[in-house]
Every structure is written in structure tokens, then in C-alpha cells.
PDB file of all heavy atoms in Angstrom:
ATOM      1  N   GLU Q  23      -2.421  -0.069  -6.516  1.00 96.00           N
ATOM      2  CA  GLU Q  23      -2.319  -1.489  -6.870  1.00 96.00           C
ATOM      3  C   GLU Q  23      -1.280  -2.194  -6.007  1.00 96.00           C
ATOM      4  O   GLU Q  23      -1.476  -3.341  -5.577  1.00 96.00           O
ATOM      5  CB  GLU Q  23      -1.983  -1.632  -8.351  1.00 96.00           C
ATOM      6  CG  GLU Q  23      -3.121  -1.195  -9.275  1.00 96.00           C
ATOM      7  CD  GLU Q  23      -2.707  -1.110 -10.731  1.00 96.00           C
ATOM      8  OE1 GLU Q  23      -1.475  -1.176 -11.004  1.00 96.00           O
ATOM      9  OE2 GLU Q  23      -3.592  -0.971 -11.600  1.00 96.00           O
ATOM     10  N   ASN Q  24      -0.162  -1.508  -5.743  1.00 95.00           N
ATOM     11  CA  ASN Q  24       0.874  -2.072  -4.874  1.00 95.00           C
ATOM     12  C   ASN Q  24       0.357  -2.274  -3.456  1.00 95.00           C
ATOM     13  O   ASN Q  24       0.650  -3.291  -2.805  1.00 95.00           O
ATOM     14  CB  ASN Q  24       2.106  -1.168  -4.853  1.00 95.00           C
ATOM     15  CG  ASN Q  24       2.873  -1.179  -6.165  1.00 95.00           C
ATOM     16  OD1 ASN Q  24       2.762  -2.124  -6.946  1.00 95.00           O
ATOM     17  ND2 ASN Q  24       3.650  -0.143  -6.413  1.00 95.00           N
ATOM     18  N   LYS Q  25      -0.420  -1.316  -2.977  1.00 94.00           N
ATOM     19  CA  LYS Q  25      -0.965  -1.415  -1.621  1.00 94.00           C
ATOM     20  C   LYS Q  25      -1.943  -2.577  -1.513  1.00 94.00           C
ATOM     21  O   LYS Q  25      -1.960  -3.297  -0.511  1.00 94.00           O
ATOM     22  CB  LYS Q  25      -1.637  -0.091  -1.227  1.00 94.00           C
ATOM     23  CG  LYS Q  25      -2.134  -0.070   0.203  1.00 94.00           C
ATOM     24  CD  LYS Q  25      -2.678   1.308   0.590  1.00 94.00           C
ATOM     25  CE  LYS Q  25      -1.572   2.278   0.942  1.00 94.00           C
ATOM     26  NZ  LYS Q  25      -2.084   3.502   1.611  1.00 94.00           N
ATOM     27  N   VAL Q  26      -2.762  -2.778  -2.548  1.00 95.00           N
ATOM     28  CA  VAL Q  26      -3.699  -3.901  -2.550  1.00 95.00           C
ATOM     29  C   VAL Q  26      -2.935  -5.215  -2.525  1.00 95.00           C
ATOM     30  O   VAL Q  26      -3.279  -6.150  -1.789  1.00 95.00           O
ATOM     31  CB  VAL Q  26      -4.633  -3.846  -3.777  1.00 95.00           C
ATOM     32  CG1 VAL Q  26      -5.446  -5.141  -3.901  1.00 95.00           C
ATOM     33  CG2 VAL Q  26      -5.570  -2.654  -3.683  1.00 95.00           C
ATOM     34  N   ARG Q  27      -1.865  -5.304  -3.330  1.00 94.00           N
ATOM     35  CA  ARG Q  27      -1.060  -6.529  -3.354  1.00 94.00           C
ATOM     36  C   ARG Q  27      -0.395  -6.783  -2.010  1.00 94.00           C
ATOM     37  O   ARG Q  27      -0.218  -7.928  -1.595  1.00 94.00           O
ATOM     38  CB  ARG Q  27       0.001  -6.446  -4.460  1.00 94.00           C
ATOM     39  CG  ARG Q  27      -0.531  -6.774  -5.847  1.00 94.00           C
ATOM     40  CD  ARG Q  27       0.594  -6.987  -6.833  1.00 94.00           C
ATOM     41  NE  ARG Q  27       1.322  -5.768  -7.103  1.00 94.00           N
ATOM     42  CZ  ARG Q  27       1.026  -4.923  -8.084  1.00 94.00           C
ATOM     43  NH1 ARG Q  27       0.012  -5.189  -8.894  1.00 94.00           N
ATOM     44  NH2 ARG Q  27       1.728  -3.832  -8.271  1.00 94.00           N
ATOM     45  N   ARG Q  28      -0.026  -5.701  -1.317  1.00 93.00           N
ATOM     46  CA  ARG Q  28       0.640  -5.847  -0.020  1.00 93.00           C
ATOM     47  C   ARG Q  28      -0.324  -6.318   1.062  1.00 93.00           C
ATOM     48  O   ARG Q  28       0.011  -7.187   1.870  1.00 93.00           O
ATOM     49  CB  ARG Q  28       1.254  -4.507   0.407  1.00 93.00           C
ATOM     50  CG  ARG Q  28       2.584  -4.183  -0.238  1.00 93.00           C
ATOM     51  CD  ARG Q  28       2.896  -2.704  -0.099  1.00 93.00           C
ATOM     52  NE  ARG Q  28       2.848  -2.225   1.271  1.00 93.00           N
ATOM     53  CZ  ARG Q  28       2.697  -0.931   1.579  1.00 93.00           C
ATOM     54  NH1 ARG Q  28       2.548  -0.027   0.640  1.00 93.00           N
ATOM     55  NH2 ARG Q  28       2.693  -0.563   2.845  1.00 93.00           N
ATOM     56  N   PHE Q  29      -1.522  -5.755   1.084  1.00 93.00           N
ATOM     57  CA  PHE Q  29      -2.417  -5.972   2.212  1.00 93.00           C
ATOM     58  C   PHE Q  29      -3.618  -6.874   1.918  1.00 93.00           C
ATOM     59  O   PHE Q  29      -4.257  -7.366   2.847  1.00 93.00           O
ATOM     60  CB  PHE Q  29      -2.927  -4.635   2.743  1.00 93.00           C
ATOM     61  CG  PHE Q  29      -1.842  -3.735   3.258  1.00 93.00           C
ATOM     62  CD1 PHE Q  29      -1.770  -2.402   2.875  1.00 93.00           C
ATOM     63  CD2 PHE Q  29      -0.873  -4.219   4.112  1.00 93.00           C
ATOM     64  CE1 PHE Q  29      -0.766  -1.571   3.352  1.00 93.00           C
ATOM     65  CE2 PHE Q  29       0.141  -3.401   4.596  1.00 93.00           C
ATOM     66  CZ  PHE Q  29       0.194  -2.074   4.216  1.00 93.00           C
ATOM     67  N   ARG Q  30      -3.930  -7.081   0.624  1.00 92.00           N
ATOM     68  CA  ARG Q  30      -5.067  -7.936   0.278  1.00 92.00           C
ATOM     69  C   ARG Q  30      -4.713  -8.779  -0.942  1.00 92.00           C
ATOM     70  O   ARG Q  30      -5.428  -8.777  -1.945  1.00 92.00           O
ATOM     71  CB  ARG Q  30      -6.301  -7.068   0.007  1.00 92.00           C
ATOM     72  CG  ARG Q  30      -7.642  -7.717   0.370  1.00 92.00           C
ATOM     73  CD  ARG Q  30      -8.800  -6.792   0.092  1.00 92.00           C
ATOM     74  NE  ARG Q  30      -8.911  -6.445  -1.299  1.00 92.00           N
ATOM     75  CZ  ARG Q  30      -9.162  -5.219  -1.772  1.00 92.00           C
ATOM     76  NH1 ARG Q  30      -9.337  -4.205  -0.951  1.00 92.00           N
ATOM     77  NH2 ARG Q  30      -9.236  -4.985  -3.068  1.00 92.00           N
ATOM     78  N   PRO Q  31      -3.591  -9.489  -0.873  1.00 89.00           N
ATOM     79  CA  PRO Q  31      -3.082 -10.204  -2.052  1.00 89.00           C
ATOM     80  C   PRO Q  31      -4.044 -11.283  -2.550  1.00 89.00           C
ATOM     81  O   PRO Q  31      -4.503 -12.118  -1.791  1.00 89.00           O
ATOM     82  CB  PRO Q  31      -1.777 -10.838  -1.539  1.00 89.00           C
ATOM     83  CG  PRO Q  31      -1.958 -10.951  -0.063  1.00 89.00           C
ATOM     84  CD  PRO Q  31      -2.774  -9.761   0.336  1.00 89.00           C
ATOM     85  N   GLY Q  32      -4.351 -11.205  -3.849  1.00 85.00           N
ATOM     86  CA  GLY Q  32      -5.207 -12.214  -4.458  1.00 85.00           C
ATOM     87  C   GLY Q  32      -6.656 -12.159  -4.031  1.00 85.00           C
ATOM     88  O   GLY Q  32      -7.436 -13.044  -4.366  1.00 85.00           O
ATOM     89  N   GLU Q  33      -7.044 -11.118  -3.309  1.00 88.00           N
ATOM     90  CA  GLU Q  33      -8.425 -11.008  -2.823  1.00 88.00           C
ATOM     91  C   GLU Q  33      -9.048  -9.706  -3.304  1.00 88.00           C
ATOM     92  O   GLU Q  33      -8.398  -8.665  -3.327  1.00 88.00           O
ATOM     93  CB  GLU Q  33      -8.475 -11.034  -1.298  1.00 88.00           C
ATOM     94  CG  GLU Q  33      -7.975 -12.320  -0.653  1.00 88.00           C
ATOM     95  CD  GLU Q  33      -8.052 -12.256   0.859  1.00 88.00           C
ATOM     96  OE1 GLU Q  33      -8.781 -11.385   1.370  1.00 88.00           O
ATOM     97  OE2 GLU Q  33      -7.385 -13.062   1.507  1.00 88.00           O
ATOM     98  N   SER Q  34     -10.307  -9.772  -3.687  1.00 90.00           N
ATOM     99  CA  SER Q  34     -11.045  -8.558  -4.004  1.00 90.00           C
ATOM    100  C   SER Q  34     -11.775  -8.095  -2.754  1.00 90.00           C
ATOM    101  O   SER Q  34     -11.900  -8.839  -1.780  1.00 90.00           O
ATOM    102  CB  SER Q  34     -12.049  -8.826  -5.134  1.00 90.00           C
ATOM    103  OG  SER Q  34     -12.958  -9.849  -4.758  1.00 90.00           O
ATOM    104  N   LEU Q  35     -12.222  -6.871  -2.777  1.00 93.00           N
ATOM    105  CA  LEU Q  35     -13.016  -6.371  -1.649  1.00 93.00           C
ATOM    106  C   LEU Q  35     -14.301  -7.192  -1.570  1.00 93.00           C
ATOM    107  O   LEU Q  35     -14.921  -7.469  -2.594  1.00 93.00           O
ATOM    108  CB  LEU Q  35     -13.335  -4.895  -1.864  1.00 93.00           C
ATOM    109  CG  LEU Q  35     -13.820  -4.079  -0.666  1.00 93.00           C
ATOM    110  CD1 LEU Q  35     -12.714  -3.967   0.370  1.00 93.00           C
ATOM    111  CD2 LEU Q  35     -14.264  -2.688  -1.113  1.00 93.00           C
ATOM    112  N   PRO Q  36     -14.703  -7.630  -0.376  1.00 93.00           N
ATOM    113  CA  PRO Q  36     -15.944  -8.424  -0.252  1.00 93.00           C
ATOM    114  C   PRO Q  36     -17.150  -7.692  -0.833  1.00 93.00           C
ATOM    115  O   PRO Q  36     -17.152  -6.467  -0.968  1.00 93.00           O
ATOM    116  CB  PRO Q  36     -16.084  -8.604   1.261  1.00 93.00           C
ATOM    117  CG  PRO Q  36     -14.703  -8.475   1.790  1.00 93.00           C
ATOM    118  CD  PRO Q  36     -14.028  -7.461   0.912  1.00 93.00           C
ATOM    119  N   ASN Q  37     -18.163  -8.449  -1.171  1.00 95.00           N
ATOM    120  CA  ASN Q  37     -19.397  -7.878  -1.705  1.00 95.00           C
ATOM    121  C   ASN Q  37     -20.029  -6.947  -0.666  1.00 95.00           C
ATOM    122  O   ASN Q  37     -20.340  -7.367   0.446  1.00 95.00           O
ATOM    123  CB  ASN Q  37     -20.368  -9.011  -2.071  1.00 95.00           C
ATOM    124  CG  ASN Q  37     -21.667  -8.482  -2.668  1.00 95.00           C
ATOM    125  OD1 ASN Q  37     -21.774  -7.309  -3.028  1.00 95.00           O
ATOM    126  ND2 ASN Q  37     -22.662  -9.338  -2.761  1.00 95.00           N
ATOM    127  N   LEU Q  38     -20.210  -5.700  -1.036  1.00 96.00           N
ATOM    128  CA  LEU Q  38     -20.742  -4.707  -0.097  1.00 96.00           C
ATOM    129  C   LEU Q  38     -22.181  -4.311  -0.417  1.00 96.00           C
ATOM    130  O   LEU Q  38     -22.741  -3.442   0.266  1.00 96.00           O
ATOM    131  CB  LEU Q  38     -19.864  -3.444  -0.114  1.00 96.00           C
ATOM    132  CG  LEU Q  38     -18.384  -3.641   0.225  1.00 96.00           C
ATOM    133  CD1 LEU Q  38     -17.649  -2.302   0.142  1.00 96.00           C
ATOM    134  CD2 LEU Q  38     -18.207  -4.257   1.601  1.00 96.00           C
ATOM    135  N   LYS Q  39     -22.773  -4.930  -1.412  1.00 95.00           N
ATOM    136  CA  LYS Q  39     -24.111  -4.526  -1.832  1.00 95.00           C
ATOM    137  C   LYS Q  39     -25.110  -4.653  -0.685  1.00 95.00           C
ATOM    138  O   LYS Q  39     -25.235  -5.699  -0.055  1.00 95.00           O
ATOM    139  CB  LYS Q  39     -24.568  -5.366  -3.021  1.00 95.00           C
ATOM    140  CG  LYS Q  39     -25.853  -4.842  -3.651  1.00 95.00           C
ATOM    141  CD  LYS Q  39     -26.186  -5.559  -4.942  1.00 95.00           C
ATOM    142  CE  LYS Q  39     -27.440  -4.977  -5.575  1.00 95.00           C
ATOM    143  NZ  LYS Q  39     -27.773  -5.665  -6.848  1.00 95.00           N
ATOM    144  N   ASN Q  40     -25.778  -3.533  -0.413  1.00 96.00           N
ATOM    145  CA  ASN Q  40     -26.811  -3.448   0.641  1.00 96.00           C
ATOM    146  C   ASN Q  40     -26.257  -3.721   2.039  1.00 96.00           C
ATOM    147  O   ASN Q  40     -27.018  -4.036   2.952  1.00 96.00           O
ATOM    148  CB  ASN Q  40     -27.973  -4.403   0.349  1.00 96.00           C
ATOM    149  CG  ASN Q  40     -28.724  -4.016  -0.913  1.00 96.00           C
ATOM    150  OD1 ASN Q  40     -28.885  -2.838  -1.208  1.00 96.00           O
ATOM    151  ND2 ASN Q  40     -29.153  -5.007  -1.677  1.00 96.00           N
ATOM    152  N   LYS Q  41     -24.960  -3.599   2.220  1.00 95.00           N
ATOM    153  CA  LYS Q  41     -24.350  -3.817   3.529  1.00 95.00           C
ATOM    154  C   LYS Q  41     -24.151  -2.488   4.265  1.00 95.00           C
ATOM    155  O   LYS Q  41     -24.008  -1.425   3.667  1.00 95.00           O
ATOM    156  CB  LYS Q  41     -22.986  -4.490   3.372  1.00 95.00           C
ATOM    157  CG  LYS Q  41     -23.003  -5.856   2.708  1.00 95.00           C
ATOM    158  CD  LYS Q  41     -23.474  -6.915   3.664  1.00 95.00           C
ATOM    159  CE  LYS Q  41     -23.420  -8.298   3.016  1.00 95.00           C
ATOM    160  NZ  LYS Q  41     -22.048  -8.719   2.672  1.00 95.00           N
ATOM    161  N   THR Q  42     -24.136  -2.593   5.595  1.00 96.00           N
ATOM    162  CA  THR Q  42     -23.688  -1.471   6.417  1.00 96.00           C
ATOM    163  C   THR Q  42     -22.179  -1.604   6.570  1.00 96.00           C
ATOM    164  O   THR Q  42     -21.693  -2.647   6.995  1.00 96.00           O
ATOM    165  CB  THR Q  42     -24.359  -1.494   7.801  1.00 96.00           C
ATOM    166  OG1 THR Q  42     -25.760  -1.259   7.647  1.00 96.00           O
ATOM    167  CG2 THR Q  42     -23.773  -0.404   8.705  1.00 96.00           C
ATOM    168  N   VAL Q  43     -21.448  -0.570   6.199  1.00 97.00           N
ATOM    169  CA  VAL Q  43     -19.987  -0.603   6.241  1.00 97.00           C
ATOM    170  C   VAL Q  43     -19.490   0.422   7.250  1.00 97.00           C
ATOM    171  O   VAL Q  43     -19.906   1.584   7.225  1.00 97.00           O
ATOM    172  CB  VAL Q  43     -19.378  -0.298   4.856  1.00 97.00           C
ATOM    173  CG1 VAL Q  43     -17.853  -0.264   4.942  1.00 97.00           C
ATOM    174  CG2 VAL Q  43     -19.826  -1.327   3.832  1.00 97.00           C
ATOM    175  N   ILE Q  44     -18.617  -0.029   8.146  1.00 97.00           N
ATOM    176  CA  ILE Q  44     -17.951   0.887   9.074  1.00 97.00           C
ATOM    177  C   ILE Q  44     -16.541   1.118   8.555  1.00 97.00           C
ATOM    178  O   ILE Q  44     -15.717   0.199   8.526  1.00 97.00           O
ATOM    179  CB  ILE Q  44     -17.918   0.321  10.502  1.00 97.00           C
ATOM    180  CG1 ILE Q  44     -19.338   0.054  11.004  1.00 97.00           C
ATOM    181  CG2 ILE Q  44     -17.196   1.287  11.446  1.00 97.00           C
ATOM    182  CD1 ILE Q  44     -19.409  -0.566  12.382  1.00 97.00           C
ATOM    183  N   LEU Q  45     -16.266   2.325   8.094  1.00 97.00           N
ATOM    184  CA  LEU Q  45     -14.952   2.693   7.580  1.00 97.00           C
ATOM    185  C   LEU Q  45     -14.116   3.233   8.736  1.00 97.00           C
ATOM    186  O   LEU Q  45     -14.540   4.150   9.440  1.00 97.00           O
ATOM    187  CB  LEU Q  45     -15.076   3.753   6.487  1.00 97.00           C
ATOM    188  CG  LEU Q  45     -13.766   4.246   5.876  1.00 97.00           C
ATOM    189  CD1 LEU Q  45     -13.099   3.155   5.043  1.00 97.00           C
ATOM    190  CD2 LEU Q  45     -14.005   5.500   5.032  1.00 97.00           C
ATOM    191  N   VAL Q  46     -12.927   2.656   8.918  1.00 96.00           N
ATOM    192  CA  VAL Q  46     -12.110   2.990  10.088  1.00 96.00           C
ATOM    193  C   VAL Q  46     -10.756   3.542   9.660  1.00 96.00           C
ATOM    194  O   VAL Q  46     -10.081   2.979   8.794  1.00 96.00           O
ATOM    195  CB  VAL Q  46     -11.896   1.747  10.982  1.00 96.00           C
ATOM    196  CG1 VAL Q  46     -11.122   2.131  12.237  1.00 96.00           C
ATOM    197  CG2 VAL Q  46     -13.230   1.112  11.347  1.00 96.00           C
ATOM    198  N   ASP Q  47     -10.366   4.622  10.294  1.00 93.00           N
ATOM    199  CA  ASP Q  47      -9.032   5.197  10.095  1.00 93.00           C
ATOM    200  C   ASP Q  47      -8.540   5.661  11.449  1.00 93.00           C
ATOM    201  O   ASP Q  47      -9.299   5.733  12.422  1.00 93.00           O
ATOM    202  CB  ASP Q  47      -9.102   6.358   9.102  1.00 93.00           C
ATOM    203  CG  ASP Q  47      -7.727   6.749   8.560  1.00 93.00           C
ATOM    204  OD1 ASP Q  47      -6.749   6.008   8.814  1.00 93.00           O
ATOM    205  OD2 ASP Q  47      -7.635   7.780   7.876  1.00 93.00           O
ATOM    206  N   ASP Q  48      -7.248   5.986  11.537  1.00 88.00           N
ATOM    207  CA  ASP Q  48      -6.739   6.491  12.813  1.00 88.00           C
ATOM    208  C   ASP Q  48      -7.112   7.953  13.013  1.00 88.00           C
ATOM    209  O   ASP Q  48      -6.958   8.496  14.102  1.00 88.00           O
ATOM    210  CB  ASP Q  48      -5.226   6.280  12.934  1.00 88.00           C
ATOM    211  CG  ASP Q  48      -4.446   6.794  11.745  1.00 88.00           C
ATOM    212  OD1 ASP Q  48      -5.069   7.411  10.849  1.00 88.00           O
ATOM    213  OD2 ASP Q  48      -3.220   6.576  11.691  1.00 88.00           O
ATOM    214  N   GLY Q  49      -7.604   8.600  11.973  1.00 78.00           N
ATOM    215  CA  GLY Q  49      -8.046   9.980  12.077  1.00 78.00           C
ATOM    216  C   GLY Q  49      -7.826  10.691  10.759  1.00 78.00           C
ATOM    217  O   GLY Q  49      -6.726  10.646  10.223  1.00 78.00           O
ATOM    218  N   PRO Q  50      -8.854  11.329  10.190  1.00 69.00           N
ATOM    219  CA  PRO Q  50      -8.701  11.987   8.891  1.00 69.00           C
ATOM    220  C   PRO Q  50      -7.921  13.294   8.992  1.00 69.00           C
ATOM    221  O   PRO Q  50      -8.398  14.280   9.546  1.00 69.00           O
ATOM    222  CB  PRO Q  50     -10.146  12.234   8.445  1.00 69.00           C
ATOM    223  CG  PRO Q  50     -10.914  12.328   9.716  1.00 69.00           C
ATOM    224  CD  PRO Q  50     -10.217  11.446  10.705  1.00 69.00           C
ATOM    225  N   ILE Q  51      -6.678  13.277   8.477  1.00 61.00           N
ATOM    226  CA  ILE Q  51      -5.911  14.514   8.399  1.00 61.00           C
ATOM    227  C   ILE Q  51      -6.509  15.413   7.328  1.00 61.00           C
ATOM    228  O   ILE Q  51      -6.584  16.622   7.450  1.00 61.00           O
ATOM    229  CB  ILE Q  51      -4.431  14.210   8.050  1.00 61.00           C
ATOM    230  CG1 ILE Q  51      -3.798  13.358   9.146  1.00 61.00           C
ATOM    231  CG2 ILE Q  51      -3.648  15.489   7.863  1.00 61.00           C
ATOM    232  CD1 ILE Q  51      -3.726  14.028  10.492  1.00 61.00           C
ATOM    233  N   SER Q  52      -6.957  14.790   6.249  1.00 72.00           N
ATOM    234  CA  SER Q  52      -7.583  15.522   5.152  1.00 72.00           C
ATOM    235  C   SER Q  52      -8.930  14.885   4.837  1.00 72.00           C
ATOM    236  O   SER Q  52      -9.023  13.678   4.665  1.00 72.00           O
ATOM    237  CB  SER Q  52      -6.683  15.489   3.910  1.00 72.00           C
ATOM    238  OG  SER Q  52      -7.346  16.042   2.797  1.00 72.00           O
ATOM    239  N   ASN Q  53      -9.964  15.697   4.763  1.00 88.00           N
ATOM    240  CA  ASN Q  53     -11.302  15.168   4.492  1.00 88.00           C
ATOM    241  C   ASN Q  53     -11.393  14.493   3.130  1.00 88.00           C
ATOM    242  O   ASN Q  53     -12.231  13.627   2.915  1.00 88.00           O
ATOM    243  CB  ASN Q  53     -12.330  16.289   4.565  1.00 88.00           C
ATOM    244  CG  ASN Q  53     -12.527  16.803   5.969  1.00 88.00           C
ATOM    245  OD1 ASN Q  53     -12.010  16.234   6.926  1.00 88.00           O
ATOM    246  ND2 ASN Q  53     -13.263  17.884   6.112  1.00 88.00           N
ATOM    247  N   VAL Q  54     -10.532  14.898   2.205  1.00 92.00           N
ATOM    248  CA  VAL Q  54     -10.634  14.393   0.838  1.00 92.00           C
ATOM    249  C   VAL Q  54     -10.421  12.883   0.781  1.00 92.00           C
ATOM    250  O   VAL Q  54     -11.049  12.193  -0.031  1.00 92.00           O
ATOM    251  CB  VAL Q  54      -9.639  15.135  -0.092  1.00 92.00           C
ATOM    252  CG1 VAL Q  54      -8.196  14.786   0.247  1.00 92.00           C
ATOM    253  CG2 VAL Q  54      -9.922  14.820  -1.548  1.00 92.00           C
ATOM    254  N   LEU Q  55      -9.570  12.328   1.643  1.00 93.00           N
ATOM    255  CA  LEU Q  55      -9.329  10.888   1.640  1.00 93.00           C
ATOM    256  C   LEU Q  55     -10.569  10.133   2.130  1.00 93.00           C
ATOM    257  O   LEU Q  55     -10.968   9.115   1.540  1.00 93.00           O
ATOM    258  CB  LEU Q  55      -8.126  10.541   2.520  1.00 93.00           C
ATOM    259  CG  LEU Q  55      -7.637   9.095   2.431  1.00 93.00           C
ATOM    260  CD1 LEU Q  55      -7.112   8.790   1.037  1.00 93.00           C
ATOM    261  CD2 LEU Q  55      -6.544   8.837   3.461  1.00 93.00           C
ATOM    262  N   ALA Q  56     -11.173  10.628   3.199  1.00 94.00           N
ATOM    263  CA  ALA Q  56     -12.393  10.006   3.714  1.00 94.00           C
ATOM    264  C   ALA Q  56     -13.509  10.087   2.681  1.00 94.00           C
ATOM    265  O   ALA Q  56     -14.288   9.148   2.508  1.00 94.00           O
ATOM    266  CB  ALA Q  56     -12.814  10.686   5.017  1.00 94.00           C
ATOM    267  N   ARG Q  57     -13.557  11.201   1.954  1.00 94.00           N
ATOM    268  CA  ARG Q  57     -14.622  11.386   0.968  1.00 94.00           C
ATOM    269  C   ARG Q  57     -14.480  10.443  -0.213  1.00 94.00           C
ATOM    270  O   ARG Q  57     -15.467   9.887  -0.691  1.00 94.00           O
ATOM    271  CB  ARG Q  57     -14.627  12.837   0.490  1.00 94.00           C
ATOM    272  CG  ARG Q  57     -15.276  13.785   1.489  1.00 94.00           C
ATOM    273  CD  ARG Q  57     -15.318  15.195   0.989  1.00 94.00           C
ATOM    274  NE  ARG Q  57     -16.163  16.015   1.849  1.00 94.00           N
ATOM    275  CZ  ARG Q  57     -15.850  17.237   2.256  1.00 94.00           C
ATOM    276  NH1 ARG Q  57     -14.708  17.778   1.882  1.00 94.00           N
ATOM    277  NH2 ARG Q  57     -16.668  17.899   3.040  1.00 94.00           N
ATOM    278  N   VAL Q  58     -13.257  10.266  -0.702  1.00 96.00           N
ATOM    279  CA  VAL Q  58     -13.093   9.360  -1.846  1.00 96.00           C
ATOM    280  C   VAL Q  58     -13.365   7.923  -1.420  1.00 96.00           C
ATOM    281  O   VAL Q  58     -13.915   7.124  -2.198  1.00 96.00           O
ATOM    282  CB  VAL Q  58     -11.686   9.508  -2.484  1.00 96.00           C
ATOM    283  CG1 VAL Q  58     -10.616   8.770  -1.691  1.00 96.00           C
ATOM    284  CG2 VAL Q  58     -11.695   9.005  -3.926  1.00 96.00           C
ATOM    285  N   ALA Q  59     -13.029   7.589  -0.179  1.00 96.00           N
ATOM    286  CA  ALA Q  59     -13.325   6.249   0.338  1.00 96.00           C
ATOM    287  C   ALA Q  59     -14.835   6.031   0.431  1.00 96.00           C
ATOM    288  O   ALA Q  59     -15.349   4.981   0.033  1.00 96.00           O
ATOM    289  CB  ALA Q  59     -12.678   6.049   1.702  1.00 96.00           C
ATOM    290  N   SER Q  60     -15.546   7.021   0.945  1.00 96.00           N
ATOM    291  CA  SER Q  60     -17.007   6.928   1.050  1.00 96.00           C
ATOM    292  C   SER Q  60     -17.643   6.795  -0.329  1.00 96.00           C
ATOM    293  O   SER Q  60     -18.528   5.963  -0.550  1.00 96.00           O
ATOM    294  CB  SER Q  60     -17.557   8.165   1.759  1.00 96.00           C
ATOM    295  OG  SER Q  60     -18.964   8.190   1.729  1.00 96.00           O
ATOM    296  N   SER Q  61     -17.168   7.599  -1.271  1.00 96.00           N
ATOM    297  CA  SER Q  61     -17.698   7.558  -2.630  1.00 96.00           C
ATOM    298  C   SER Q  61     -17.483   6.185  -3.262  1.00 96.00           C
ATOM    299  O   SER Q  61     -18.370   5.638  -3.926  1.00 96.00           O
ATOM    300  CB  SER Q  61     -17.021   8.643  -3.477  1.00 96.00           C
ATOM    301  OG  SER Q  61     -17.417   8.554  -4.824  1.00 96.00           O
TER     302      SER Q  61
END
């Protein structure tokens, strides 16, 4: 919640329904983080 307030204050994630989403990171150190994001 703190991270959302820091980087996306007052905004919800845009509507992603039926969208193609490109998820970007500097590199997955642990697959579990990428997996929870995908889920």
C-alpha cells in the first residue's frame, strides 16, 4: 500500500480487461515475484 501511494498516488491500475500487457522488470532474481505479478 505504501509503494502504491509512493508511485501511483490516487490512481488505480488502468483497466486491463482484454488488453495485451507487457510486464517489465530489470531482471527477475526470483521467479516467484514475476509469477505473482502475472497471476
Side-chain angles (χ1 to χ4, degrees):
E23 292 170 348
N24 290 338
K25 184 175 280 193
V26 170
R27 279 193 292 269
R28 280 163 54 200
F29 298 131
R30 211 179 62 223
E33 297 180 17
S34 59
L35 196 66
N37 181 13
L38 302 179
K39 190 172 182 180
N40 295 324
K41 299 283 183 64
T42 294
V43 177
I44 301 177
L45 179 69
V46 184
D47 196 10
D48 51 5
I51 298 297
S52 172
N53 291 352
V54 68
L55 189 65
R57 282 182 169 137
V58 79
S60 173
S61 175

